[in-house]
Amino acid sequence: MQIIPAIDIIDGKCVRLTQGDYEQKKIYNENPLEVAKEFEDAGLQRLHLVDLDGAKAGAVKNWKVLEAIAGKTSLVIDFGGGIKTEKDVNIVFDSGAALATIGSLAVKNEFEFVKWLLTYGAEKFLLGADVKDEKITVGGWLETTDITIYDFLQKYIGHGVQQVFCTDVSKDGLLAGPSTALYKKIIERFPSLHFIASGGVSNVADLEALAEIGCTGAIVGKAIYENRISLDELKKF
């Protein structure tokens, strides 16, 4: 299982939110590149970079941070937050992201997303599924749809999507443990999917449990920043 550390960006700084709430913001480092280099030095190979300003504005904002990290590390970066137009997609790829992360847009504008999958190749996208009670949520988790996670994944696997990360929004940023039961059900239903767990990881035992059920990756954020998991401990994955 691949460990994918997360860096969330507001105003060019490395922050974490609790349950997606911009009022519950904590700044961890003024310089995200420093953080990324620490991850690289620890032997990690991937990075989940989230433009929270972009997510709020509905257009990519912190592409300069992406450019700096992509230019000065060899991390394989997926970048998300505010990718709403083809112009945004181009900015993200031109700035050095290996993958563009698409969440709400895949729910609200299937036509546009499918067009991008055909234009750039489905392997260039990481599909983000935010879930509450097995239903997809959008708009910074404020809105729960009536689409089940299973129908959502089935549709986009049919369009060639290979990598998905799933966040149980009731767990995110709380360090309360991941939704292993939900993830196990998804993996059993879609065994060939490159499935990445996200949200709730609070210690190494959580990561071991995710590896055991067959997750191919796990996104870890707050647990690293709050020193619940050391970078040394992540090396064994």
Side-chain angles (χ1 to χ4, degrees):
M1 184 175 76
Q2 192 171 37
I3 301 298
I4 308 171
I7 295 181
D8 292 356
I9 307 292
I10 290 180
D11 297 333
K13 297 167 187 167
C14 175
V15 305
R16 289 303 282 172
L17 306 182
T18 298
Q19 290 194 296
D21 182 358
Y22 285 77
E23 299 301 312
Q24 297 188 60
K25 175 181 79 176
K26 185 170 179 182
I27 295 171
Y28 286 102
N29 195 309
E30 304 272 330
N31 185 348
L33 176 59
E34 268 177 26
V35 181
K37 282 184 165 168
E38 282 174 26
F39 293 149
E40 185 179 41
D41 291 346
L44 298 172
Q45 290 163 350
R46 271 191 68 166
L47 178 65
H48 179 64
L49 192 57
V50 184
D51 180 357
L52 290 173
D53 294 313
K56 209 172 190 179
V60 172
K61 296 288 180 192
N62 284 291
W63 56 271
K64 282 228 173 342
V65 175
L66 166 61
E67 201 173 59
I69 294 173
K72 295 192 166 69
T73 73
S74 60
L75 294 166
V76 175
I77 304 167
D78 68 77
F79 181 93
I83 302 173
K84 296 281 184 264
T85 64
E86 202 159 309
K87 182 183 164 205
D88 291 321
V89 180
N90 287 326
I91 288 169
V92 168
F93 290 141
D94 290 347
S95 301
L99 296 149
T101 304
I102 306 295
S104 296
L105 181 112
V107 183
K108 296 190 158 178
N109 194 343
E110 182 185 344
F111 177 79
E112 187 69 11
F113 184 40
V114 170
K115 195 173 82 180
W116 299 349
L117 294 174
L118 293 169
T119 304
Y120 300 92
E123 71 285 348
K124 296 287 290 176
F125 293 91
L126 174 62
L127 180 62
D130 292 338
V131 182
K132 192 174 187 181
D133 303 325
E134 299 196 358
K135 298 276 174 66
I136 296 289
T137 71
V138 291
W141 310 343
L142 300 173
E143 183 189 329
T144 304
T145 69
D146 55 6
I147 304 161
T148 71
I149 176 66
Y150 309 105
D151 290 345
F152 182 69
L153 293 179
Q154 185 74 59
K155 175 167 65 181
Y156 283 114
I157 289 168
H159 287 300
V161 168
Q162 297 148 6
Q163 293 200 48
V164 172
F165 76 98
C166 182
T167 308
D168 182 340
V169 303
S170 63
K171 304 269 190 183
D172 192 63
L174 298 178
L175 298 170
S179 292
T180 34
L182 170 67
Y183 299 154
K184 190 166 187 248
K185 277 168 81 170
I186 294 170
I187 291 163
E188 280 168 359
R189 194 165 310 189
F190 306 108
S192 63
L193 191 61
H194 185 99
F195 183 86
I196 299 165
S198 163
V201 170
S202 63
N203 54 42
V204 171
D206 287 340
L207 292 173
E208 285 165 351
L210 292 171
E212 205 168 292
I213 61 166
C215 293
T216 42
I219 291 171
V220 188
K222 202 167 193 173
I224 296 173
Y225 298 112
E226 298 282 349
N227 298 314
R228 303 286 192 95
I229 301 176
S230 72
L231 292 178
D232 268 350
E233 285 177 301
L234 293 177
K235 285 179 183 171
K236 71 176 179 186
F237 293 92

